Amino acid sequence: MSAVDLVIHGGTLVTPEAVFRASIAVREGRIALIGAEDLMPKAAARLDAQGLHILPGLVDVHVHLREPGMTAKEDWASGTAAAAAGGVTTVLDMPNTVPPTASVAALQQKLSLAAAKAHVDFGAYALLAEDSLAQLEALKDAGAIGFKLYMGSSTGDLPIPSDGAILEGFETIARLGLRCAVHAENGGVIARREARLKAAGRADALAHLASRPEVAEEEALARALAFARVTGARLHIAHVSAERSLPLIRAAKADGVDVTAETCPQYLLLTAEAMRASGGQRLRVNPPLRAPRNQDPLWRALTEGTVDLIATDHAPHLPVEKSAARVWDCACGLPGLETLLPLLLTEVAEGRLALTDLPRLTAQNPSRAFGLYPQKGALSIGSDADFALVDLNRSGQITASGLKTRAGWTPFEGRAVMGAVAMTLVRGRVVMRDGEIIGPKGWGQALRPAMPNPAPRNPQLALPAILSLDNIPF
Ligand SMILES: [Zn+2]
């Protein structure tokens, strides 16, 4: 074999199947060879990974990098620096920016902002909105990684589409084949309960939880799955937080619905108990932190595959936006890109997760869900040379100082962790070493999804088909 650009030697590779010592050769940004050191070709550069474990770079399918429009909270440079610091080499950005990513022009604007600033590779979701249905196909052609549907309110206060528009939108995306991430909370339930709580003078942290009960998640999820079942739309259920959601997802999968699901560290590691403490209102997030009884079922769902992956829902706001006395005045969302991997490594150290679970839940399954596998998410020949090099034995404490996100705080402040990200590589280039960002802005590239062929169900019953027929089928 001719010379390669880089050989990483001395490290221990972690895949969903095995943990093994090997060297990795990289050529033109891709993995060229994995094997014994004495088989490695001559390399222009060598990287010593002695004492480190090498994971496929993490693929976070749920981040809010806030640009355009809210760059005081985060932008593509700060948000992807946080990603690189956390071993995350691919981020998929949500469309609730200003303007929302609901038109081809807005998508193109976001992708060019990202291309100029990103340290890691990226994709951008387009919004499935009441008035964007006619543009979904053009949004796909313009490079959307998938779609996002808000069934309940969140940052940006985007209008929630009607059920009719959701069903029609699903008919369209079933034909397009891209996956639609769903924020499954019933907007009507939330609006009424929040108004009633406010009118009663409640503004304590747990009033937020009361305004968004578990049944709001369960009902919206059931509705989205029913629409997916009849149309063949591919769904991704964002931030599953409640035990009652799990049987619905399990049944839909058993029924052949192409649905993936995520949960987030905040639902696995924090509970509503934490909102009782002083300052608890800054833990306001949607869906809310829930009763402790939800946690064990969520962990089990990760092991058995009902929940496919872990994402951060990195949703930065400034400390001043999180510190209002009334919970209703605190912005919703938590930062998480930099703390994800240390927190999960700690769970590995404590025996709650196997080391081999990490690449499955944070790289392989996320990239598969969005048509990026095996370009992303794999330690395989031909895959992009995206790596998180971690030290399993480095203990520490999570603290906001030193974080790259503009959020300036973390819900995990003071938490002891076992395991640290030592180095991050994106397409063969070191972008972070020992907490320092050393890759240039603009190294990150836009990703195009390669989804399996669309598999619409009942296309003869879909609105566009029906509208042009003389005799309506039944
Ligand atoms: Zn989100």
Side-chain angles (χ1 to χ4, degrees):
M1 183 188 250
S2 58
V4 295
D5 302 318
L6 173 70
V7 164
I8 305 171
H9 62 94
T12 302
L13 278 57
V14 185
T15 73
E17 293 79 32
V19 178
F20 58 99
R21 298 286 300 263
S23 294
I24 304 176
V26 176
R27 185 165 53 190
E28 292 172 358
R30 293 182 178 176
I31 298 174
L33 189 64
I34 296 173
E37 175 57 27
D38 58 6
L39 296 177
M40 288 295 122
K42 228 167 96 66
R46 289 174 59 81
L47 186 63
D48 184 359
Q50 201 69 43
L52 300 176
H53 282 70
I54 303 176
L55 301 169
L58 276 62
V59 175
D60 189 347
V61 304
H62 190 160
V63 305
H64 300 264
L65 299 190
R66 304 303 193 199
E67 187 176 13
M70 293 180 277
T71 51
K73 300 174 192 282
E74 198 79 290
D75 71 2
W76 278 95
S78 64
T80 56
V88 176
T89 53
T90 297
V91 291
L92 305 189
D93 185 61
M94 287 298 172
N96 58 333
T97 40
V98 182
T101 318
S103 67
V104 168
L107 177 63
Q108 286 170 339
Q109 179 197 16
K110 178 176 282 190
L111 291 175
S112 70
L113 287 164
K117 291 187 179 180
H119 294 283
V120 306
D121 288 350
F122 57 86
Y125 288 92
L127 188 69
L128 195 170
E130 189 86 24
D131 55 5
S132 74
L133 299 191
Q135 293 162 74
L136 297 180
E137 185 160 6
L139 285 160
K140 177 192 174 179
D141 294 342
I145 200 80
F147 299 104
K148 175 71 182 282
L149 164 66
Y150 289 92
M151 300 175 85
S153 61
S154 203
T155 297
D157 275 328
L158 299 170
I160 297 162
S162 65
D163 288 344
I166 295 172
L167 179 58
E168 194 176 337
F170 281 14
E171 289 170 348
T172 302
I173 63 169
R175 197 164 44 72
L176 301 177
L178 291 186
R179 195 172 293 281
C180 183
V182 179
H183 181 136
E185 284 190 290
N186 179 309
V189 168
I190 294 166
R192 182 170 180 98
R193 289 178 75 95
E194 186 174 318
R196 297 272 288 129
L197 284 154
K198 282 177 176 166
R202 298 300 298 262
D204 47 313
L206 286 172
H208 176 65
L209 171 60
S211 74
R212 308 180 85 109
E214 289 166 30
V215 70
E217 177 172 320
E218 182 186 355
E219 187 284 327
L221 175 58
R223 188 160 24 109
L225 290 172
F227 290 172
R229 186 176 287 113
V230 74
T231 58
R234 295 188 170 120
L235 299 192
H236 174 69
I237 309 305
H239 41 50
V240 173
S241 68
E243 177 183 9
R244 295 280 301 165
S245 296
L246 301 172
L248 297 174
I249 297 166
R250 214 173 280 132
K253 286 184 171 184
D255 207 13
V257 178
D258 187 343
V259 57
T260 56
E262 92 195 12
T263 190
C264 314
Q266 50 270 32
Y267 305 112
L268 294 166
L269 298 170
L270 300 174
T271 71
E273 297 280 359
M275 295 188 82
R276 286 183 199 277
S278 132
Q281 68 272 29
R282 64 182 193 158
L283 296 171
R284 187 179 189 210
V285 60
N286 301 329
L289 303 182
R290 301 225 183 260
R293 65 183 150 69
N294 292 285
Q295 274 190 342
D296 282 342
L298 286 175
W299 281 106
R300 278 199 299 277
L302 286 172
T303 307
E304 70 182 27
T306 302
V307 174
D308 302 83
L309 61 98
I310 301 174
T312 62
D313 193 6
H314 177 81
H317 298 283
L318 300 176
V320 62
E321 298 170 307
K322 294 294 284 180
S323 53
R326 289 161 38 91
V327 73
W328 313 119
D329 300 329
C330 288
C332 297
L334 312 173
L337 273 166
E338 289 152 276
T339 48
L340 170 67
L341 192 42
L343 289 169
L344 293 180
L345 290 169
T346 306
E347 297 303 307
V348 170
E350 291 175 359
R352 194 157 206 178
L353 280 177
L355 189 54
T356 50
D357 287 334
L358 291 188
R360 180 174 59 86
L361 295 170
T362 64
Q364 184 186 61
N365 286 351
S367 50
R368 264 204 183 123
F370 287 89
L372 301 175
Y373 190 85
Q375 180 190 353
K376 299 297 187 189
L379 297 183
S380 303
I381 290 168
S383 294
D384 282 357
D386 296 347
F387 310 119
L389 276 60
V390 300
D391 183 345
L392 300 185
N393 298 314
R394 200 191 301 172
S395 62
Q397 200 176 35
I398 289 180
T399 165
S401 68
L403 294 184
K404 315 292 180 210
T405 173
R406 290 203 178 128
W409 75 288
T410 163
F412 297 101
E413 182 72 38
R415 205 174 171 104
V417 288
M418 174 58 79
V421 188
M423 219 180 295
T424 304
L425 283 81
V426 175
R427 281 174 283 104
R429 182 168 190 156
V430 178
V431 296
M432 189 285 293
R433 189 195 293 260
D434 293 327
E436 196 187 335
I437 303 300
I438 50 181
K441 287 183 191 177
W443 175 247
Q445 290 183 354
L447 297 166
R448 297 294 290 247
M451 295 295 284
N453 287 335
R457 293 177 170 187
N458 307 300
Q460 77 285 3
L461 300 179
L463 258 185
I466 286 174
L467 293 177
S468 60
L469 289 177
D470 293 334
N471 290 308
I472 289 182
F474 55 90

